[in-house]
Amino acid sequence: MKFSIERAALLKAVSQAQSVVERRNTIPILANVLIEAEGSDASFRATDLDIEVVDKAPAQVERAGATTVSATTLHEIVRKLPDGALITLTSDSAAGRLTVEAGRSNFSLATLPREDFPVMATSEYQSNFKAPAPVLRRLFDKSKFAISTEETRYYLNGVYMHISESEGSKVLRCVATDGHRLARIDAPMPDGAADMPGVIVPRKTVGELRKLLDDDEMEIAVSVSETKIRFATPDITLTSKVIDGTFPDYTRVIPQGNTRKMEVDASDFARAVDRVATVSSERSRAVKLQLDEDRLVLSVNAPDSGAAEEELVVAYADERLEIGFNAKYLLEIASQVDRENAVFLFNSSGDPTLMREGNDMSAVYVVMPMRV
């Protein structure tokens, strides 16, 4: 195999591939990227057996072929080569080496046979549809902060993507929760997605997917089966197993009867929470919210380090309320708000609180209170 490729194209392809590779591997081949050159393209494939990413890049192929080489080492070499360099990769399967040449730089890397590289089995997908990158980006970006990191409740270690109904029309919905907070984000249902099975997309896949969604003009082809999900652009294909488990009935924890309504400027609120939480040594320290007519007082009392208080002007016309929240959770939820105003709906100091952006019901957040 021998081909030449632009540094920028190679760096993009290899960095996507190496980020899938696990740092600690008991199976040596899983630390490698499979490079295949044919026609006018080179493709770079990496897997951790749960996720597989294939990135294609244009190349000048002199001799078609394939080999595997350490993903991290190749990425580091390409990263350190000068901008605009033309890189030539030549593999010698008899010697088990891959030569990387650019200008006066020359590297010789150990390879492993391509036959040992595990390729994810193709499966039949029940549902195939297309969605614009910004739509998918919003669904996952706004929900991923609530993914649980608790391994025992593995079915919460991802984003539940499914078809649901909202205000009389079908929507593509992403939900994530860790039991303390919940995010539910809706988008109009794309054509062809009606019979999509509900799947739990793992946390790592959500992180990898984010790199595909940067181009606002891109249409992403999405394929879903009971066991796998695939996201594809013309250049990159990301295939992932989904979490084998049942996502809990999240509708039960979204409060319907919260009537005490507070409207506040989202960025002012986030900055105030951040400031008062500074005196607390623990990130989980509760912030107390005291609500009176059109007035909110945020306070933190940390006996070992001090106390803080800040007052904000809000729109609130209900009876007095005192309620406490984990400062980190409040900050994460407030930072999801794209428009100016955040609307908080309270019931009592012991009940879950609902937050949304203005009157927009397509993004709803729930956060459990803390005792203060």
Side-chain angles (χ1 to χ4, degrees):
M1 177 188 80
K2 183 175 183 181
F3 67 93
S4 299
I5 184 168
E6 284 279 334
R7 175 191 177 267
L10 181 56
L11 183 61
K12 183 174 169 290
V14 176
S15 59
Q16 179 84 40
Q18 68 92 34
S19 65
V20 170
V21 171
E22 289 291 338
R23 286 284 171 266
R24 293 187 192 86
N25 261 317
T26 48
I27 309 167
I29 194 80
L30 291 183
N32 281 17
V33 57
L34 170 62
I35 305 170
E36 296 171 293
E38 198 178 350
S40 58
D41 289 319
S43 75
F44 300 83
R45 186 186 298 262
T47 184
D48 65 358
L49 298 181
D50 289 326
I51 304 174
E52 178 187 81
V53 68
V54 185
D55 204 330
K56 257 202 218 137
Q60 297 151 20
V61 180
E62 272 185 54
R63 268 200 317 276
T67 189
T68 84
V69 68
S70 163
T72 323
T73 309
L74 183 61
H75 178 250
E76 282 299 290
I77 288 171
V78 178
R79 194 174 64 78
K80 290 171 183 176
L81 286 171
D83 255 354
L86 186 69
I87 301 169
T88 303
L89 288 88
T90 314
S91 84
D92 179 347
S93 48
R97 292 274 154 189
L98 175 75
T99 309
V100 181
E101 294 169 274
R104 294 181 183 182
S105 305
N106 187 310
F107 303 86
S108 175
L109 306 176
T111 62
L112 287 171
R114 57 100 37 107
E115 294 74 30
D116 296 353
F117 195 87
V119 173
M120 205 177 254
T122 53
S123 61
E124 286 292 310
Y125 291 102
Q126 281 149 276
S127 176
N128 297 282
F129 59 91
K130 285 193 164 162
V135 169
L136 289 174
R137 191 169 63 219
R138 177 178 177 272
L139 283 170
F140 285 104
D141 275 4
K142 284 181 167 292
S143 56
K144 66 184 180 190
F145 76 91
I147 296 174
S148 172
T149 52
E150 210 180 301
E151 295 304 326
T152 50
R153 299 165 81 190
Y154 64 94
Y155 49 85
L156 297 182
N157 293 164
V159 171
Y160 180 42
M161 184 179 175
H162 60 297
I163 300 298
S164 190
E165 202 159 298
S166 176
E167 297 171 342
S169 58
K170 295 268 190 196
V171 291
L172 178 61
R173 175 174 287 176
C174 280
V175 180
T177 182
D178 63 359
H180 302 291
R181 62 254 164 97
L182 176 143
R184 189 199 79 192
I185 319 297
D186 292 346
M189 184 182 77
D191 293 342
D195 52 355
M196 178 188 123
V199 289
I200 306 169
V201 185
R203 186 195 311 111
K204 183 175 175 182
T205 308
V206 172
E208 289 304 321
L209 172 63
R210 187 62 185 77
K211 296 166 194 157
L212 267 73
L213 303 177
D214 273 341
D215 184 349
D216 280 1
E217 303 306 311
M218 196 70 81
E219 281 273 308
I220 309 289
V222 184
S223 305
V224 188
S225 75
E226 299 278 357
T227 56
K228 285 196 188 114
I229 188 161
R230 187 178 71 198
F231 299 91
T233 70
D235 297 331
I236 304 173
T237 305
L238 175 70
T239 311
S240 169
K241 291 180 183 173
V242 297
I243 292 172
D244 182 12
T246 306
F247 201 79
D249 180 6
Y250 61 87
T251 54
R252 295 210 320 255
V253 297
I254 298 175
Q256 302 299 329
N258 287 13
T259 52
R260 298 178 177 186
K261 179 178 168 187
M262 172 186 86
E263 210 162 325
V264 61
D265 181 295
S267 54
D268 286 355
F269 178 76
R271 284 194 290 264
V273 170
D274 199 22
R275 281 193 289 268
V276 295
T278 313
V279 298
S280 156
S281 48
E282 302 155 44
R283 289 301 292 149
S284 64
R285 177 71 68 193
V287 172
K288 184 157 82 172
L289 278 62
Q290 288 167 288
L291 275 160
D292 275 317
E293 194 173 333
D294 293 343
R295 176 171 168 265
L296 166 68
V297 177
L298 295 157
S299 60
V300 169
N301 191 6
D304 46 350
S305 54
E309 191 174 281
E310 184 160 338
E311 195 174 310
L312 284 177
V313 176
V314 297
Y316 181 77
D318 224 301
E319 57 197 65
R320 182 181 163 85
L321 175 70
E322 282 194 8
I323 188 166
F325 295 103
N326 177 319
K328 178 171 169 272
Y329 296 168
L330 273 189
L331 277 174
E332 283 179 338
I333 283 181
S335 69
Q336 301 306 319
V337 179
D338 292 331
R339 34 186 99 182
E340 214 168 291
N341 279 2
V343 173
F344 286 84
L345 294 164
F346 305 99
N347 186 29
S348 75
S349 60
D351 292 314
T353 292
L354 191 80
M355 197 279 277
R356 60 171 199 243
E357 306 179 33
N359 292 321
D360 182 5
M361 292 303 290
S362 72
V364 170
Y365 306 93
V366 179
V367 61
M368 299 298 287
M370 277 178 84
R371 280 213 182 88
V372 279

